Amino acid sequence: MDAAGKDWNSPLDPDDWAALRRQGHAMLDDMLDHLQGAAAGAGPVWRQPGAAIRDSIREALPATGAPLDQVYQQFRNSILPYSVGNTHPGFMGWVHGAGTPVGMLAEMLAAGLNANLGGRDHMPVELERQVVRWVAQLFSFPEEASGLFVTGSSMANLIGVLVARRRALGAEVRTQGVRDNAQTLVAYAVRGTHGCVSRGMDMAGLGSANLRLIDQQADGSVDVAAMRAAIEAHLRAGLRPFLIVGTAGSVDIGSIDDLHALADLAAEFGVHYHVDGAIGALCLLSPQLARKFAGIERADSIAMDFHKWMHVPYDAGFILVRSAQWQVETFADLGQSYLAREPGGLSAGSPWPCDLGPDLSRGFRALKVWMSLKVLGADKLGQAMAESCERAQYLAARIAAEPELELMAPVQLNIVCFRYRTPPDLSTDINARLLRDIQLSGIAAPSSTRLGGQYVIRAALLNHRTGRAKLDELVEFTLTTGRALLAAQA
Ligand SMILES: *Cc1c(COP(=O)(O)O)cnc(C)c1O
């Protein structure tokens, strides 16, 4: 035993805590500098890692350790400067959150606790339950609602499909599977729905082809009459409609389905009503934007992402379910004696989060969401979302005012799709090359999609750091580069 009465020193804890403390403080300072720099728009949005950088991390599994300082320098040199860039004001690709310093600090606290939120009786689990209550309140869900943090909306949408499947087929589907002679279960969503919904059908054993994609109206929202006609035709053909998926913010253009009409349709046909709110659901934090999502409160389940427009660090997806019983019946496996629950002690507090989804070991995602909401407040977070929508309108107006540019979809939320106009006889479209040049310039990083068969540049304005000057810079760069590319073609 040493002087402190210890008979054992962990081989994995440091020998010199004072030295570690100094290094840790320096790392924290560096990361806060990094975020402060990002906030100021320092450096390029993204730089492509060259071969030398990629090679710099290739090595054999290290048998013996190296000093933390040295490994940290490798992180500083080879990783930090070559991240995707979504903390930078120029980032506007895909659907990425920008993060916040509060979120980063919360992640550090969560990692220090190293809590496992699969279950058991402790305050981290209790905090997740509090966040679930807040989310239920935001969506005016009843007391008996339940919810769960998951990786992202891909998982949350899969859970929505599984809850709907269990509701349609009963407990037996969990032990017997989907039987050969069962009626085919059919789900419905708008044609612009995210690919993870059909993958959810696939992974649930229901088949991706049994997600029927319904045509869009001019604004991108689902044609509800066409969905009704499809359901009626399928019923006549002996199929079994079981799920309607509403889209609250489509990934291509940010369109929003008529969420009330879909709720009515689901009620009329007695099917589960799930909403993919990965982009838009948390707009309910903004009274101004909430109006666009009227009817979402009637969903049976909602998928959403705190890591997108609420800027909580990755990852923080969430599923909200109208009835805790549905969720427990879909996932709980109380038969395992290893996970037995007790009325007291550490094994109390059933149901546990692991009864509500597929994961047993789970991190403390709730802490970063709780801290972001507590420190920043719902109003400011909602305000930041409303401001991104205003900036999207600004960008759309700038594009509409430039004869060389063409706005490719109505801007209903925060996504702006556009093209550099090219003569119809041009053999190869310059827009893909143009996008690459924009990204390589380091000024801005939009992404792309295809609309009506055409390649379009897509700017998704989630980032709370993106101001109008950055959008002006994007438009100017697009015009000069587009002209140069066109001249080179001619
Ligand atoms: C991002 C997104 C998803 C998938 O969510 P992940 O968090 O990336 O798993 C699903 N639907 C929509 C509309 C999305 O934007």
Side-chain angles (χ1 to χ4, degrees):
M1 295 227 190
D2 67 11
K6 271 172 61 180
D7 68 345
W8 178 248
N9 285 313
S10 156
L12 304 185
D13 282 333
D15 297 328
D16 185 349
W17 280 89
L20 180 84
R21 203 177 283 268
R22 282 192 300 275
Q23 291 166 1
H25 289 168
M27 285 179 181
L28 181 57
D29 267 343
D30 285 351
M31 284 316 283
L32 290 170
D33 284 348
H34 169 74
L35 282 187
Q36 200 174 349
V45 184
W46 170 78
R47 49 167 82 83
Q48 190 159 29
I53 291 296
R54 291 176 203 270
D55 285 348
S56 70
I57 59 162
R58 291 183 75 111
E59 57 182 330
L61 178 71
T64 55
L68 176 60
D69 270 349
Q70 194 180 318
V71 177
Y72 175 57
Q73 282 315 316
Q74 206 181 358
F75 165 83
R76 297 251 310 168
N77 297 334
S78 296
I79 298 167
L80 182 67
Y82 302 96
S83 190
V84 76
N86 50 318
T87 55
H88 188 285
F91 194 90
M92 46 192 82
W94 298 274
V95 190
H96 279 32
T100 64
V102 175
M104 181 187 98
L105 295 173
E107 280 289 65
M108 184 187 71
L109 303 181
L113 278 186
N114 193 25
N116 181 340
L117 275 80
R120 294 155 288 268
D121 198 18
H122 52 113
M123 278 312 279
V125 164
E126 209 48 54
L127 195 75
E128 178 159 340
R129 293 188 180 121
Q130 176 55 38
V131 177
V132 171
R133 283 191 288 270
W134 280 344
V135 178
Q137 183 194 333
L138 183 65
F139 291 93
S140 311
F141 266 41
E143 278 284 300
E144 62 269 24
S146 56
L148 187 73
F149 279 100
V150 290
T151 42
S153 283
S154 301
M155 180 58 83
N157 283 324
L158 169 62
I159 291 177
V161 171
L162 291 170
V163 169
R165 187 187 74 154
R166 167 65 180 79
R167 286 187 72 198
L169 297 181
E172 210 191 56
V173 70
R174 295 194 55 196
T175 51
Q176 307 304 312
V178 181
R179 300 208 193 219
D180 248 4
N181 57 359
Q183 275 179 304
T184 301
L185 295 185
V186 187
Y188 304 84
V190 70
R191 196 166 290 288
T193 196
H194 193 277
C196 69
V197 179
S198 73
R199 278 198 300 130
M201 288 287 287
D202 163 11
M203 290 187 281
L206 301 173
S208 56
N210 292 315
L211 174 69
R212 300 305 168 93
L213 298 178
I214 307 295
D215 284 341
Q216 292 164 284
Q217 308 191 97
D219 66 359
S221 70
V222 71
D223 179 341
V224 179
M227 190 182 285
R228 161 189 295 279
I231 293 173
E232 285 170 345
H234 290 154
L235 282 170
R236 282 195 301 275
L239 306 179
R240 178 151 179 215
F242 83 112
L243 167 65
I244 288 174
V245 179
T247 295
S250 72
V251 72
D252 285 329
I253 64 166
S255 59
I256 304 161
D257 286 344
D258 182 340
L259 299 174
H260 268 305
L262 293 184
D264 289 341
L265 205 57
E268 181 182 340
F269 291 100
V271 305
H272 187 90
Y273 179 31
H274 174 81
V275 171
D276 179 2
I279 298 178
L282 288 167
C283 287
L284 264 67
L285 293 169
S286 156
Q288 203 179 325
L289 298 180
R291 288 179 288 111
K292 296 176 187 278
F293 300 89
I296 195 170
E297 70 286 353
R298 295 171 63 194
D300 292 318
S301 51
I302 307 175
M304 67 196 82
D305 276 331
F306 288 95
H307 55 223
K308 286 181 174 166
W309 218 344
M310 216 186 92
H311 305 296
V312 164
Y314 284 90
D315 49 33
F318 191 90
I319 178 75
L320 180 68
V321 179
R322 178 164 296 279
S323 154
Q325 195 188 334
W326 297 345
Q327 206 175 350
V328 168
E329 283 174 352
T330 306
F331 292 103
D333 177 8
L334 300 175
Q336 277 196 60
S337 38
Y338 162 76
L339 295 175
R341 312 304 155 78
E342 306 290 345
L346 198 44
S347 300
S350 193
W352 288 355
C354 68
D355 301 325
L356 303 175
D359 295 314
L360 177 53
S361 293
R362 305 172 62 252
F364 195 4
R365 298 184 181 103
L367 184 64
K368 55 194 171 185
V369 173
W370 178 80
M371 271 197 139
S372 298
L373 282 163
K374 289 274 287 183
V375 173
L376 299 170
D379 292 349
K380 196 187 276 184
L381 289 161
Q383 180 65 27
M385 293 175 202
E387 283 165 4
S388 337
C389 294
E390 284 163 19
R391 283 192 295 272
Q393 292 299 337
Y394 173 77
L395 177 59
R398 282 235 40 196
I399 288 164
E402 294 293 344
E404 290 157 88
L405 302 179
E406 184 179 8
L407 195 61
M408 298 301 290
V411 177
Q412 302 163 71
L413 209 55
N414 61 333
I415 300 179
V416 184
C417 291
F418 63 98
R419 279 173 55 81
Y420 191 89
R421 280 187 211 269
T422 50
D425 56 338
L426 197 71
S427 56
T428 49
D429 183 17
I430 61 162
N431 280 279
R433 178 65 202 278
L434 174 56
L435 174 62
R436 206 182 325 149
D437 286 351
I438 295 170
Q439 291 173 347
L440 288 168
S441 76
I443 290 173
S447 56
S448 69
T449 188
R450 297 193 81 86
L451 293 178
Q454 266 191 316
Y455 183 97
V456 305
I457 298 173
R458 174 182 166 285
L461 304 183
L462 284 83
N463 198 326
H464 54 93
R465 300 188 178 113
T466 309
R468 290 183 177 206
K470 178 52 78 180
L471 302 176
D472 290 338
E473 226 183 322
L474 169 67
V475 170
E476 297 311 326
F477 187 88
T478 302
L479 288 171
T480 44
T481 310
R483 275 170 211 148
L485 287 171
L486 206 56
Q489 287 261 319

Short mmCIF file of all heavy atoms in Angstrom, two decimals, residues 1 50 72 139 155 163 177 185 235 246 280 336 414 438:
data_model
loop_
_atom_site.label_atom_id
_atom_site.label_comp_id
_atom_site.label_asym_id
_atom_site.label_seq_id
_atom_site.Cartn_x
_atom_site.Cartn_y
_atom_site.Cartn_z
N MET A 1 0.84 -1.21 0.00
CA MET A 1 0.00 0.00 0.00
C MET A 1 0.88 1.26 0.00
O MET A 1 1.90 1.31 0.67
CB MET A 1 -0.85 0.04 1.28
CG MET A 1 -1.85 -1.10 1.35
SD MET A 1 -3.45 -0.48 1.80
CE MET A 1 -4.34 -1.99 2.12
N GLY A 50 -4.31 16.13 -48.73
CA GLY A 50 -3.45 15.57 -49.78
C GLY A 50 -2.94 14.19 -49.37
O GLY A 50 -3.15 13.74 -48.24
N TYR A 72 -1.12 14.41 -29.60
CA TYR A 72 -1.99 15.58 -29.78
C TYR A 72 -1.47 16.46 -30.94
O TYR A 72 -2.25 16.99 -31.72
CB TYR A 72 -2.05 16.39 -28.48
CG TYR A 72 -2.81 17.67 -28.60
CD1 TYR A 72 -4.14 17.67 -29.04
CD2 TYR A 72 -2.21 18.90 -28.32
CE1 TYR A 72 -4.85 18.86 -29.18
CE2 TYR A 72 -2.90 20.09 -28.46
CZ TYR A 72 -4.22 20.06 -28.90
OH TYR A 72 -4.91 21.23 -29.05
N PHE A 139 -44.09 19.34 -28.56
CA PHE A 139 -44.98 18.83 -29.61
C PHE A 139 -46.40 18.57 -29.10
O PHE A 139 -47.18 17.92 -29.78
CB PHE A 139 -44.38 17.56 -30.23
CG PHE A 139 -43.14 17.87 -31.04
CD1 PHE A 139 -41.89 17.79 -30.46
CD2 PHE A 139 -43.24 18.30 -32.35
CE1 PHE A 139 -40.74 18.11 -31.18
CE2 PHE A 139 -42.11 18.62 -33.08
CZ PHE A 139 -40.85 18.52 -32.49
N MET A 155 -31.84 6.24 -37.73
CA MET A 155 -32.26 5.29 -36.71
C MET A 155 -33.66 5.62 -36.20
O MET A 155 -34.48 4.73 -35.97
CB MET A 155 -31.23 5.30 -35.58
CG MET A 155 -31.52 4.36 -34.45
SD MET A 155 -31.66 2.63 -34.96
CE MET A 155 -29.92 2.17 -34.99
N VAL A 163 -42.11 0.50 -34.78
CA VAL A 163 -43.27 0.70 -33.89
C VAL A 163 -44.55 0.49 -34.70
O VAL A 163 -45.49 -0.18 -34.25
CB VAL A 163 -43.24 2.11 -33.25
CG1 VAL A 163 -44.56 2.42 -32.54
CG2 VAL A 163 -42.08 2.22 -32.25
N GLY A 177 -41.51 -13.31 -36.71
CA GLY A 177 -41.11 -12.60 -37.91
C GLY A 177 -42.32 -12.30 -38.78
O GLY A 177 -43.46 -12.59 -38.41
N LEU A 185 -47.46 -5.56 -46.01
CA LEU A 185 -47.61 -4.24 -45.38
C LEU A 185 -47.06 -3.17 -46.30
O LEU A 185 -45.95 -3.31 -46.82
CB LEU A 185 -46.87 -4.20 -44.05
CG LEU A 185 -47.36 -5.12 -42.92
CD1 LEU A 185 -46.56 -4.84 -41.65
CD2 LEU A 185 -48.84 -4.93 -42.65
N LEU A 235 -55.86 -1.35 -50.88
CA LEU A 235 -56.84 -2.09 -50.06
C LEU A 235 -57.66 -3.02 -50.95
O LEU A 235 -57.89 -4.19 -50.61
CB LEU A 235 -57.76 -1.11 -49.32
CG LEU A 235 -57.14 -0.44 -48.08
CD1 LEU A 235 -58.03 0.69 -47.59
CD2 LEU A 235 -56.91 -1.47 -46.97
N GLY A 246 -44.98 11.36 -43.01
CA GLY A 246 -45.01 12.76 -43.44
C GLY A 246 -43.60 13.32 -43.41
O GLY A 246 -42.76 12.89 -42.62
N GLY A 280 -36.93 19.75 -40.00
CA GLY A 280 -37.85 20.82 -39.61
C GLY A 280 -38.50 20.73 -38.25
O GLY A 280 -38.98 21.74 -37.73
N GLN A 336 -34.28 -11.29 -20.08
CA GLN A 336 -32.87 -11.57 -19.81
C GLN A 336 -32.55 -11.38 -18.33
O GLN A 336 -32.62 -10.29 -17.81
CB GLN A 336 -32.00 -10.61 -20.60
CG GLN A 336 -31.77 -11.03 -22.02
CD GLN A 336 -30.60 -10.25 -22.61
OE1 GLN A 336 -29.49 -10.30 -22.11
NE2 GLN A 336 -30.89 -9.51 -23.66
N ASN A 414 -35.08 26.71 -45.58
CA ASN A 414 -33.70 27.20 -45.52
C ASN A 414 -32.82 26.64 -46.63
O ASN A 414 -31.61 26.72 -46.54
CB ASN A 414 -33.10 26.82 -44.16
CG ASN A 414 -33.07 25.32 -43.97
OD1 ASN A 414 -33.87 24.59 -44.54
ND2 ASN A 414 -32.15 24.84 -43.16
N ILE A 438 -16.14 25.84 -56.35
CA ILE A 438 -16.58 26.61 -55.17
C ILE A 438 -16.02 25.95 -53.90
O ILE A 438 -15.43 26.61 -53.04
CB ILE A 438 -18.12 26.69 -55.08
CG1 ILE A 438 -18.70 27.48 -56.27
CG2 ILE A 438 -18.56 27.34 -53.77
CD1 ILE A 438 -20.22 27.41 -56.38
#
